[in-house]
Amino acid sequence: MKNKAVNFLNGVFLFFFFLLFSGCSDAIGPIHKNEENEREELMVTMYITDQSVQHTYLDISKTFEQVHPNIKVNLIFPGFDYEDVLKIKIASHDLPDIFDTHGWTKRRYGKLLMDLSDEKWAHQLSDSMKIAVTDTDGAVYALPISEARDGLSYNVNVLKKYHIQIPRTFTELMQAAETIKQESGGQVIPFFFAGANRWTIGQYFDYMANSLYVSTSDNEFAELENGILNKNKWVWIAKTWKEMLRKGYMNEDFAKAKYSDLPELFATDKVAFTFSSPSFANDVYQLNAETVIGIMPIPAMQEYVEPSFAGGERNTMGIWIDSLHKEAARLLINFYAKPENMSKIANATKLPSGLKNIQASHEFVSFYEKYAKTRIFPYFDRVYLPSGMWDIMSNEGLDVLVNHMSPEEFADNMQTNMKRLRQ
């Protein structure tokens, strides 16, 4: 009788032991993965800061998950810390499966990316994007989702109110700023900069460097390619920059202002120009549907030289060469490359697509058509400055405004660091 009782208890113990380890209890955890855990997960990191554009990417990813229910897309937007995040991940060899090369497809990330030249969309690259994302052997390192064709965004209503024509030269731009300041009684800011997001400062110097060193009749291609930066020209840019603050041409809270402040300023006609693409436009329209935004090339430094745009890839998707989910990553990139999805993103970013024959219907299409023949030069730092210079340019540009550094010291540091970082 005792043996029967022992056998009975042993049987009960084995029964419950089986239940525990067959996934019927959450206390220890199941051996068999549930449906959620069986999904292959993709990590995707993008350098997109405008919320309306982020929502577009998220919507496309959700549709992809419906088509491919066995794949989960983790889409991450680190914001303005994107470069720092990616540098840490490179150092730890822990990159996302898919990441945005944000203008550095070949130069910084080429060795880290999988060749995508066999994908169908690879034969539809726009001419400028073909140069940006393809190497001499024909390897295609990323899907160029949007193409940078950047100049100044401006408030059409403000310029109309003060009878200002689109400035062609830097001199005309400063004249426009003076008119706006005087006739608005200081109520309208000619130029907006966000010290809290210092890329807005770096962008200004990048633009002006293109106009002063590259797009001029006396360009300095050869010197720059050899790592020689004309110090006098950089001093001039920095002095003019500081003069803009002294004359009241920029927002007084420049040191603490955030890029996210810009939509409200545009919506209330409190700002005239910003040195960036118009991807913030949808956020403006949510506040004031009557706001009209225009885009214009970067003004030339010389009267007889035509204005130009700064260009290159804006947002891309490349696959990390050591990803453990290459096939799933390919499926996602090819899904984003579908014409209907590329059109959605073009309409959200207000930028030209990186692929040919993509239809867009946003309000800036007419501007791109108007300036179709305007010259496009690559962003200055992407071609002529070594990696690491962007932060120096952005941070020390702010230092000049707050009197922590003179324009001459700024130019000296640019020269010194160009030599140091090129080694």
Side-chain angles (χ1 to χ4, degrees), residues 86-156:
L86 224 57
K87 286 175 183 176
I88 292 170
K89 289 188 172 294
I90 290 172
S92 60
H93 198 70
D94 184 30
L95 282 161
D97 300 294
I98 296 174
F99 62 93
D100 187 346
T101 61
H102 62 104
W104 297 93
T105 302
K106 293 190 293 186
R107 192 171 169 189
R108 185 181 296 174
Y109 302 119
K111 294 180 180 179
L112 300 172
L113 294 166
M114 177 178 160
D115 179 14
L116 301 173
S117 58
D118 289 335
E119 308 306 327
K120 290 181 180 179
W121 53 262
H123 305 291
Q124 298 173 255
L125 299 175
S126 68
D127 294 338
S128 57
M129 288 302 93
K130 190 177 295 184
I131 297 170
V133 303
T134 305
D135 69 13
T136 54
D137 296 324
V140 177
Y141 293 120
L143 166 66
I145 294 181
S146 53
E147 175 182 342
R149 197 177 298 176
D150 296 345
L152 281 68
S153 298
Y154 63 91
N155 191 316
V156 174

Side-chain angles (χ1 to χ4, degrees), residues 269-294:
D269 292 341
K270 296 296 185 183
V271 69
F273 300 96
T274 184
F275 291 78
S276 70
S277 68
S279 57
F280 61 92
N282 284 345
D283 294 329
V284 176
Y285 303 145
Q286 288 180 2
L287 298 171
N288 182 4
E290 301 302 316
T291 305
V292 183
I293 302 171

Side-chain angles (χ1 to χ4, degrees), residues 95 100 227-228 265 367 376 414:
L95 282 161
D100 187 346
I228 300 171
L265 291 171
F367 287 95
I376 304 173
M414 288 293 293

Side-chain angles (χ1 to χ4, degrees), residues 53 57 124-129 143-151 153 276-279 295 309-316 339 341-374 376 379:
V53 181
Y57 275 79
Q124 298 173 255
L125 299 175
S126 68
D127 294 338
S128 57
M129 288 302 93
L143 166 66
I145 294 181
S146 53
E147 175 182 342
R149 197 177 298 176
D150 296 345
S153 298
S276 70
S277 68
S279 57
I295 58 173
F309 286 110
E313 66 268 36
R314 167 64 76 230
N315 294 116
T316 68
N341 290 329
M342 294 291 282
S343 292
K344 287 178 184 176
I345 295 173
N347 289 331
T349 60
K350 318 298 184 183
L351 291 170
S353 173
L355 300 183
K356 293 178 179 178
N357 302 319
I358 299 299
Q359 300 299 315
S361 56
H362 58 79
E363 67 275 26
F364 297 102
V365 171
S366 60
F367 287 95
Y368 292 125
E369 291 174 348
K370 175 182 177 180
Y371 294 116
K373 295 183 179 179
T374 299
I376 304 173
Y379 267 98

Side-chain angles (χ1 to χ4, degrees), residues 8 47 59 62 68 73 76 83 105 114 127 145 215 223 229 248 264-265 295-296 306 312 314 337-338 366 395 399 406:
F8 174 77
Y47 192 5
D59 288 343
K62 288 177 183 177
H68 301 278
V73 180
I76 300 169
E83 281 206 41
T105 302
M114 177 178 160
D127 294 338
I145 294 181
S215 66
E223 292 85 350
L229 184 75
E264 184 174 355
L265 291 171
I295 58 173
M296 57 176 275
E306 290 298 315
R314 167 64 76 230
K338 287 177 173 288
S366 60
N395 293 334
D399 287 341
S406 70

Side-chain angles (χ1 to χ4, degrees), residues 49-92:
T49 56
D50 293 292
Q51 290 187 359
S52 60
V53 181
Q54 291 177 359
H55 291 321
T56 302
Y57 275 79
L58 288 166
D59 288 343
I60 294 171
S61 290
K62 288 177 183 177
T63 305
F64 172 83
E65 289 178 334
Q66 293 170 0
V67 177
H68 301 278
N70 60 321
I71 301 174
K72 177 176 175 57
V73 180
N74 295 309
L75 194 52
I76 300 169
F77 305 105
F80 298 108
D81 295 324
Y82 183 87
E83 281 206 41
D84 292 333
V85 169
L86 224 57
K87 286 175 183 176
I88 292 170
K89 289 188 172 294
I90 290 172
S92 60

Side-chain angles (χ1 to χ4, degrees), residues 166-183:
I166 306 303
R168 284 188 61 261
T169 65
F170 187 77
T171 298
E172 290 178 4
L173 184 65
M174 293 301 106
Q175 290 170 347
E178 180 65 23
T179 299
I180 291 166
K181 187 192 81 168
Q182 293 294 340
E183 296 195 14

